[in-house]
Amino acid sequence: MSPTTVGSNPARIVIVGAGPGGLVCARILQRHGITVTVLERDRDESARNQGGTLDLHPDDGQLALREAGLLDDFFALARLEGQEMRQLAPDGELLVRRLPEPGETSAPEIDRGQLRGLLLHSLEPGTVQWGRAVQTVVDHQNGSATVLLDDETAIEADLVVGADGGNSRVRPAVSDAVPVYSGVDFLEAWYDDVDRRHPEIADLVGQGSAMVGDADGALFAQRNSGGHLRVYIIRRRPLDWMARHGLRPGDTDGIRAQLLRDFDGWSPEVLRFITANDGAYVDRPLFVLPAPHSWPRSTSVTLVGDAAHLMPPAGVGVNLALLDGCDLALALVRTATVAEAIAAYEATMLPRSAAMATALDGHADFLLDDGRQPGGREPGDVSPQAVSAGRR
């Protein structure tokens, strides 16, 4: 089937944001001979750390990479051993240990930076325009849109795809929704060369991830590639919790002292997760979009990933973003007009994301557990049915 056109000309497609959803969309479009431009505000690929590790599932993330022709490359980078999951009690007792079956590929781990690099390097040279920060998008309601950049230049397009995350600059063109604070805060700690420098922590975590928690707080430790490990310190906190305690982001010693008060009574072995980190803590308050989130259909603007459905981290974010990008690209390949492609894509994406977002709505607390319930929970292994029921 012929790719989407406007009149006798190929559609001018602009994707805003070089994250997984936008990049996989661009890759699939190019595999089908469709020209696309990706605008990214970062100055280059290495401008900022892309975050920790994630797992990709067969029915969404892996499916999208298969359509992109990159599934074998993904498995060459992925860590099958990273599927190991442990749950500990605050006193250090091992409650649950799940080891992957030999050759299991239900949720292999890959660093976010590795996934992004895989997608970036699969694109035709010049596809991504770096240092192009979008200020706003104007939907003209006539099948065209204008992308206004911070440098006061403008780009005309037949389709603008908002793939620019929770603080999307594209979303206001179709929706008034804005992210709101969930009440749950993630404080990130890093550990380098963990097997040699932090062997006790390495032994607690194993080859994958470890979760320990009670009703007030939780720690989620996760191996990355290259001997790195990240720990996410999860608590219900006001958004200004640091200021309330007289702290600032760079006050590592002060934050550590506060954390020890917060987790008073936990075993010294478990407390190593929050006291032995290399470098500063990184505060990551958890924001979400109202659920369900939808918008009046446009004929020239649509959204993928967190720009469309920012949710608590239940292991679905990047998987859904990849599936969104894949579905949108295939809709553009299989339909005659941009408007038809948007309609086909949103008819699938919006109900899917609404069901998940509604199940998770108001349940960011599922990240906190009493540490004694068999099975535990981790960001990456939570079903919407379980969350809606309040248990895993």
Side-chain angles (χ1 to χ4, degrees), residues 78 81 167 188 240 260 272 318 322 324 361:
E81 72 279 6
N167 295 316
E188 184 176 314
D240 62 347
L260 288 173
R272 286 195 183 99
V318 172
L322 289 168
D324 289 352
D361 187 32

Side-chain angles (χ1 to χ4, degrees), residues 1 28 76 79 83 94 96 114 143 157 162 278 319 327 372 388:
M1 187 172 291
I28 295 171
R79 303 187 307 280
Q83 298 171 104
L94 177 63
V96 175
Q114 291 177 318
D278 300 315
N319 281 283
D327 285 348
R372 290 282 175 182
S388 63

Side-chain angles (χ1 to χ4, degrees), residues 184 186 211 218 234 286 312-313 363-369 377 379:
V184 174
F186 277 39
M211 182 81 170
I234 309 168
L286 181 60
H363 289 283
D365 285 0
F366 79 86
L367 297 161
L368 306 175
D369 203 350
R377 287 195 279 273

Side-chain angles (χ1 to χ4, degrees), residues 275-363:
T275 61
N277 51 305
D278 300 315
Y281 300 95
V282 180
D283 195 32
R284 302 191 187 280
L286 181 60
F287 284 81
V288 297
L289 279 171
H293 177 226
S294 62
W295 53 88
R297 182 165 296 148
S298 166
T299 57
S300 57
V301 179
T302 193
L303 308 172
V304 302
D306 285 351
H309 42 70
L310 182 64
M311 308 177 200
V316 296
V318 172
N319 281 283
L320 282 184
L322 289 168
L323 188 57
D324 289 352
C326 174
D327 285 348
L328 176 57
L330 293 179
L332 287 162
V333 169
R334 295 167 179 168
T335 57
T337 69
V338 169
E340 290 173 344
I342 291 175
Y345 160 66
E346 291 183 356
T348 298
M349 182 274 293
L350 287 173
R352 175 175 66 213
S353 62
M356 179 63 77
T358 301
L360 291 170
D361 187 32
H363 289 283

